[in-house]
Each structure stands twice: as C-alpha cells, then as structure tokens.
C-alpha cells in the first residue's frame, strides 16, 4: 500500500502533548507505524561524558504514531490524504483543497 505520509512532508500533530504543533517528518518507520518529526515529541536524554563529547542533557525527537499526524494543506489546515491517477501517475492529494501534494 502506498504511504500517505512520507519523509519531508509538513505535518500537524492531532493528539498528545504537542497537539497543534507543526513540523517536518525527518524519518519514518512504516513497519512500526511511527515517524520522527523535527521539534515534536522531544525527550531529554542523558549523555555520559567521554573524551570526545561533553555529556549532559540533550533533547531528542522521539517517534510519534502516524495516526496522530495529519498533512498540512495549502491553507495551513490539517487534511487527509487521498490518491488519484494523474495521467499514468498515481499522485497524493489533500482532500480539503484537492491540490496534489
């Protein structure tokens, strides 16, 4: 099945502690159904000091479930993704505006 959300898509968070925030997908794991979005679902990771790195507390974006994400359309609103044939090509489009993504 074709992926509705892909790396590089601008998305909005629908549920959770970061509800309403927008960001860009930096990586995606289709098997687990999760994606890492820049600046969303940030957790503090503790790094032990070593000869190369200083150590301390570093923020890290953690994976968020794909069901809690929606693509942002041209108007800046959350939209569902549909598929249609554009000639011989299968394209994704935003269902709110009908524009191809």
């Amino acid at each position: 099945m074709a992926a509705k959300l892909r790396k590089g898509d601008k998305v909005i968070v629908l549920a959770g502690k970061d509800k309403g925030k927008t960001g860009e997908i930096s990586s995606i794991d289709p098997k687990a159904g999760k994606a890492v979005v820049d600046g969303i679902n940030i957790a503090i990771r503790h790094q032990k000091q070593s000869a190369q790195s200083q150590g301390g507390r570093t923020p890290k974006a953690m994976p968020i479930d794909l069901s809690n994400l929606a693509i942002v359309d041209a108007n800046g609103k959350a939209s569902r993704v549909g598929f249609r044939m554009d000639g011989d090509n299968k394209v994704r489009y935003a269902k709110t505006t009908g524009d191809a993504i």
Side-chain angles (χ1 to χ4, degrees):
M1 191 174 108
K4 292 181 187 260
L5 297 175
R6 296 181 188 158
K7 181 179 175 181
D9 285 348
K10 191 163 174 62
V11 293
I12 189 165
V13 180
L14 301 176
K17 66 177 184 177
D18 294 323
K19 181 178 179 178
K21 291 185 182 178
T22 60
E24 190 174 306
I25 296 177
S26 58
S27 69
I28 198 157
D29 182 8
K31 198 166 191 176
K34 293 181 181 278
V36 176
V37 182
D38 295 330
I40 304 294
N41 200 22
I42 299 294
I44 301 295
R45 290 285 167 243
H46 295 79
Q47 183 77 33
K48 191 170 182 179
Q49 185 174 355
S50 68
Q52 290 81 25
S53 65
Q54 174 64 37
R57 298 171 49 167
T58 57
K60 182 181 178 188
M62 301 301 288
I64 187 168
D65 204 84
L66 290 175
S67 64
N68 295 331
L69 300 174
I71 201 152
V72 176
D73 64 5
N75 300 331
K77 304 263 182 165
S79 174
R80 289 183 289 168
V81 177
F83 294 95
R84 66 178 172 217
M85 295 304 289
D86 189 21
D88 289 341
N89 300 330
K90 186 177 183 181
V91 295
R92 297 182 301 156
Y93 73 97
K95 289 204 173 184
T96 53
T97 59
D99 297 337
I101 298 169

